[in-house]
Amino acid sequence: STAEPLKVMISGAPASGKGTQCEMISQKFGVVHISTGDILRAEVSAGTEIGNKAKEYMNSGRLVPDEIVTAMVTARLSLKDAKEKGWLLDGYPRSSAQAESLEKLSVRPDVYVMLEVPDDILIDRCVGRRLDPLTGKIYHVKNFPPENEEIKERLVTRPDDTEEKVKSRLEIYKNNVESILSTYSDIMFKINGNRPKEVVFTEIDSLLLRLQKDKEEKSKSG
Ligand code: AP5
């Protein structure tokens, strides 16, 4: 029998580095990166029905209604690639209702990774963040400047990355986080995200390698 694929949830405040770590994790482990923020932004720029409904919430830094996001995530998780390669869920669940929806479907990760970063750092990271619309890569004007002029010229800023909106996103995050933690307290792994991204990744990497090894051993013995 072959080992069950990895199933990972990553959480943390706005700009705690979820997307940055997910890039590295999915590249190394081959799991499918499912970011509700990325999917919603793609729906908005494509002008779909979901996008049009989500737009005003996102631009003002509020959460998009649960039913929209939950339908999106459950559809994505049920696709063949996520079942075969495993998944990395980024930005979901974000409310107790969302966590309950997954529990009802018996969707449970192997680990719940939580990135911890102080508030003042988060604000600086958001305000300095830039996105490459072509590759989806995440940059920062000071921390991770673009590799060349060509990339630099096409970088865009997210409409919800102003200082004022970041503060309200952070507040919404803090109001919701407690109610989700109890669902995953037994598989929670907290990481200090206020270190260079490679250092943060080293810690996640060894955690996931350990989990992968456990799964392989389980599949041999079972
Ligand atoms: P979403 O896209 O999920 O935004 P978020 O949670 O606010 O997280 P961010 O994307 O801002 O940050 P990140 O942690 O990925 O950090 P990053 O790696 O980019 O959601 C956006 C909106 O969509 C929500 O507000 C809501 O409206 C809606 N939405 C999404 N999911 C939803 C849900 N489940 N329910 C309802 N609504 C939902 O890094 C940030 C910056 O820091 C970058 O510039 C990066 O280069 C830099 N950086 C990263 N790591 C480091 C490091 N170690 N050191 C220094 N700099 C670093």
Side-chain angles (χ1 to χ4, degrees):
S1 62
T2 50
E4 282 279 308
L6 278 176
K7 291 174 283 184
V8 180
M9 273 182 194
I10 188 156
S11 75
S16 54
K18 302 182 293 293
T20 300
Q21 294 301 320
C22 286
E23 246 172 57
M24 294 190 265
I25 298 167
S26 55
Q27 201 159 22
K28 170 142 187 199
F29 291 90
V31 288
V32 178
H33 177 203
I34 304 173
S35 157
T36 47
D38 286 351
I39 299 173
L40 286 168
R41 279 185 289 278
E43 299 277 353
V44 170
S45 49
T48 64
E49 199 185 326
I50 289 178
N52 292 337
K53 280 186 195 152
K55 193 173 179 173
E56 55 172 315
Y57 294 98
M58 296 180 74
N59 287 353
S60 61
R62 286 174 299 153
L63 292 182
V64 173
D66 285 336
E67 57 276 16
I68 296 177
V69 189
T70 297
M72 228 172 61
V73 169
T74 50
R76 187 64 192 87
L77 282 170
S78 71
L79 296 185
K80 193 164 169 255
D81 61 345
K83 287 193 165 150
E84 287 177 359
K85 297 177 187 166
W87 43 261
L88 172 59
L89 201 45
D90 163 9
Y92 190 99
R94 241 182 172 97
S95 64
S96 54
Q98 292 180 7
E100 277 162 32
S101 304
L102 291 185
E103 291 287 294
K104 272 195 199 126
L105 296 167
S106 302
V107 174
R108 242 187 119 70
D110 303 311
V111 67
Y112 184 91
V113 175
M114 185 159 174
L115 298 175
E116 296 185 303
V117 177
D119 291 1
D120 54 328
I121 306 267
L122 295 171
I123 291 166
D124 172 74
R125 283 191 189 179
C126 268
V127 174
R129 170 168 41 201
R130 299 292 181 273
L131 295 180
D132 184 345
L134 215 63
T135 62
K137 212 175 152 190
I138 307 158
Y139 293 92
H140 187 281
V141 288
K142 286 191 306 254
N143 307 346
F144 308 111
E147 294 88 346
N148 58 51
E149 274 301 311
E150 192 188 340
I151 299 175
K152 187 180 172 187
E153 271 168 27
R154 63 172 187 247
L155 294 183
V156 297
T157 307
R158 270 167 52 173
D160 58 348
D161 271 348
T162 65
E163 180 163 350
E164 192 193 349
K165 287 178 191 173
V166 175
K167 283 183 176 157
S168 85
R169 283 159 61 200
L170 190 53
E171 201 183 341
I172 292 170
Y173 170 78
K174 286 181 174 170
N175 287 339
N176 282 306
V177 66
E178 292 296 326
S179 67
I180 303 164
L181 294 190
S182 59
T183 309
Y184 303 109
S185 55
D186 54 330
I187 49 168
M188 172 122 53
F189 192 88
K190 289 185 179 169
I191 294 185
N192 172 5
N194 190 21
R195 294 173 297 170
K197 63 178 179 181
E198 296 79 10
V199 176
V200 176
F201 179 68
T202 303
E203 212 169 306
I204 297 178
D205 187 27
S206 54
L207 166 72
L208 297 187
L209 286 172
R210 208 160 61 229
L211 284 173
Q212 211 170 36
K213 208 170 144 227
D214 288 350
K215 281 174 174 266
E216 272 158 23
E217 262 149 35
K218 221 186 237 168
S219 78
K220 274 182 214 147
S221 66

